[in-house]
Amino acid sequence: MTTRKLPLEVSAGRSRLLEVDGLVMRYDTEAGEVSAVENVTFSLGRGEAMGLVGESGCGKTSVALSLLRLAPDNARYQSGSILWEGVDLLELSDQKMREYRWAEISMVFQGAMNAWNPVYRVGEQIREAMDQHFDPPLNKSEKDQRVDSLFQLVGLDPALQTRYPHELSGGMRQRAVIAMALSCEPKLIIADEPTTALDVIVQAQILEELKEIQEDLGLSILYISHDMAVIAQVTETIGVMYAGKLVEFGSTREVFHRPRHPYSYLLLSSIPSVTGPRRRPVSLEGTPPNLLAPPAGCRFHPRCPWATEQCRTEEPPMMEIGPSQWAACWNSEQVPEMGEQLP
């Protein structure tokens, strides 16, 4: 294993679109400073699908909101950069940043299917987004044609654009949200828990449609999810976050078949498998730490079955485990293969 930063190069044949380097973000609260994002580094290529996974409160959504500069007012960026085609988004004025939102980077927010304004028709709300971000502006006929095309793209009858949100099912509303995210032809869509509260059949349909849309349009997509099984279906690379830190990064195939961080292994081991080898699901004991006062050393050590004294006192750097996999763990060689049981 060699110690080094995560690579910022992207997959062969792809040009770099997004580069997050050493991002550190804090929330100032009445109780103190919350260490929400701690030295996060990754890159995303054009047309690539990447996932960020981890339990609630691990910093995934904070990273996503940072990409759009939509973090709450009490957020403070201490260091690092977010380069979009070479432009540092953290250095832009608020006015300039508005030019990037929706037109360059759009987002399907967590719980967005319930965020429609109930007194306006769905199509009207999508046209409003186009009015705000298309330059030069589209005329009425062009907007109507575009909404029709978007609805067809996400598997909806264009006639549904005249309905109010409450007249659509949850799956329809979620598809309409995706249509809105696509309305201004962005290069990147951030999908934050895009299938939350949907049944498994509709989940599978929406994920498959997103995958097809990504391939057809050449989009990049960043999926945010606590469900590693969902991420496996639609991504090429994956980053596992814990307590504000990126603890493992690599190709989705490598991380799923041979996780090298104990947290990744325990997350995967807690998921029942209906296609893989028979194994007893392993529970992930404990809860994430309080980020007002995170533990010394590795932040995962209080919950780790393989923790040593070094883990309790020294913070592990990101270490290269293989050609397409990195993990921040002093004892990554002790993490079992998937299917093996805990000692």
Side-chain angles (χ1 to χ4, degrees):
M1 294 186 301
T2 57
T3 301
R4 70 177 203 186
K5 285 175 60 176
L6 277 169
L8 291 175
E9 63 269 16
V10 297
S11 303
R14 287 201 172 108
S15 59
R16 186 181 302 164
L17 184 66
L18 174 70
E19 178 183 312
V20 179
D21 191 6
L23 184 65
V24 178
M25 192 261 274
R26 309 274 193 258
Y27 290 118
D28 294 320
T29 71
E30 292 181 0
E33 184 180 80
V34 175
S35 177
V37 179
E38 192 70 33
N39 196 29
V40 168
T41 295
F42 65 87
S43 61
L44 186 66
R46 296 178 189 275
E48 184 178 2
M50 175 185 161
L52 278 181
V53 300
E55 295 167 284
S56 296
C58 69
K60 310 182 300 297
T61 298
S62 290
V63 170
L65 292 175
S66 295
L67 302 183
L68 282 165
R69 292 261 306 274
L70 288 175
D73 292 340
N74 64 332
R76 175 168 47 85
Y77 296 99
Q78 185 165 312
S79 59
S81 60
I82 301 173
L83 298 183
W84 176 261
E85 297 184 313
V87 176
D88 190 350
L89 300 182
L90 296 181
E91 298 295 328
L92 298 180
S93 66
D94 290 343
Q95 180 61 39
K96 188 68 176 176
M97 187 64 211
R98 290 192 188 97
E99 298 176 13
Y100 285 81
R101 295 190 194 112
W102 225 252
E104 297 280 332
I105 310 172
S106 65
M107 187 168 180
V108 177
F109 292 93
Q110 188 171 356
M113 70 177 185
N114 297 317
W116 292 96
N117 190 322
V119 301
Y120 290 99
R121 301 177 194 273
V122 170
E124 293 177 43
Q125 298 183 56
I126 297 176
R127 291 184 189 86
E128 182 181 9
M130 290 191 278
D131 287 338
Q132 294 295 319
H133 296 283
F134 262 106
D135 188 18
L138 303 180
N139 61 40
K140 184 181 184 303
S141 176
E142 290 171 330
K143 286 185 289 186
D144 289 345
Q145 290 176 12
R146 180 152 184 79
V147 174
D148 286 350
S149 298
L150 289 168
F151 269 54
Q152 291 172 345
L153 186 63
V154 299
L156 289 176
D157 183 342
L160 292 174
Q161 65 180 280
T162 63
R163 302 287 184 87
Y164 290 95
H166 72 272
E167 297 180 287
L168 304 182
S169 68
M172 289 176 177
R173 289 200 301 272
Q174 191 69 351
R175 286 184 173 91
V177 167
I178 295 168
M180 180 181 282
L182 292 166
S183 63
C184 297
E185 302 178 338
K187 298 173 185 174
L188 168 65
I189 290 181
I190 302 168
D192 190 359
E193 304 282 6
T195 57
T196 297
L198 300 175
D199 66 67
V200 292
I201 294 176
V202 177
Q203 266 191 25
Q205 291 172 347
I206 287 179
L207 288 172
E208 184 60 30
E209 285 165 5
L210 273 171
K211 188 174 182 179
E212 290 177 2
I213 289 168
Q214 181 216 349
E215 293 171 352
D216 290 345
L217 301 182
L219 288 171
S220 298
I221 300 186
L222 177 63
Y223 290 92
I224 309 294
S225 181
H226 66 279
D227 190 337
M228 294 189 79
V230 167
I231 291 295
Q233 302 175 51
V234 291
T235 61
E236 301 159 67
T237 55
I238 186 170
V240 181
M241 290 194 67
Y242 183 75
K245 289 179 170 287
L246 198 63
V247 296
E248 185 159 3
F249 184 88
S251 74
T252 301
R253 179 177 179 82
E254 289 297 326
V255 172
F256 270 76
H257 285 279
R258 191 171 181 268
R260 294 293 84 196
H261 194 280
Y263 182 58
S264 306
Y265 172 80
L266 290 169
L267 282 178
L268 287 167
S269 296
S270 67
I271 303 171
S273 174
V274 295
T275 58
R278 290 183 62 183
R279 56 178 172 80
R280 185 186 300 275
V282 177
S283 63
L284 178 54
E285 303 292 340
T287 58
N290 183 348
L291 294 184
L292 286 167
C298 174
R299 292 186 175 185
F300 187 62
H301 83 254
R303 305 171 71 186
C304 181
W306 299 280
T308 63
E309 186 58 32
Q310 183 182 28
C311 303
R312 298 181 183 94
T313 57
E314 298 181 36
E315 180 182 344
M318 207 46 116
M319 291 176 272
E320 188 173 12
I321 307 300
S324 59
Q325 193 171 7
W326 291 259
C329 179
W330 294 118
N331 302 304
S332 60
E333 69 282 353
Q334 294 187 33
V335 179
E337 299 285 341
M338 285 307 300
E340 296 181 27
Q341 296 300 309
L342 287 169

